[in-house]
Amino acid sequence: FTFDPHGIYALSDAGFKVVSQANNHSNDFGKDGINASKEYLKSSHVEPAGDFFNESDPVYLEARGEKVAVIPFNEFYDGSIYSL
């Protein structure tokens, strides 16, 4: 998706700690778009999880004293299409 990158700060302000990028649109703007999105998220202290290709490790965080794993998965990527 395309939107004003400053909107990402609203996620941080709302308390989001992690968001998934494992979806069918995360590769719409190719590698540069993926990397830019990750950098914008990190700069607002929101951890990006996953990617279009299901090649990312889980993201671990602490919530209410418990360790939680965010395991992102893009159900629409079948491994045979789209490459960077």
Side-chain angles (χ1 to χ4, degrees), residues 16-18 47 59-70:
F16 284 83
K17 303 293 183 205
V18 62
E47 185 67 28
V59 172
Y60 299 95
L61 61 135
E62 185 117 353
R64 299 181 184 171
E66 299 289 330
K67 193 171 186 177
V68 177
V70 176

Side-chain angles (χ1 to χ4, degrees), residues 6-59:
H6 291 96
I8 291 175
Y9 292 102
L11 294 172
S12 180
D13 291 345
F16 284 83
K17 303 293 183 205
V18 62
V19 296
S20 175
Q21 288 195 289
N23 65 71
N24 59 314
H25 289 285
S26 59
N27 192 40
D28 285 357
F29 294 94
K31 187 176 182 178
D32 290 340
I34 291 168
N35 291 334
S37 294
K38 286 180 180 182
E39 290 306 312
Y40 283 125
L41 287 165
K42 288 178 182 180
S43 73
S44 66
H45 307 289
V46 177
E47 185 67 28
D51 59 34
F52 180 86
F53 305 99
N54 295 320
E55 295 176 346
S56 294
D57 292 327
V59 172

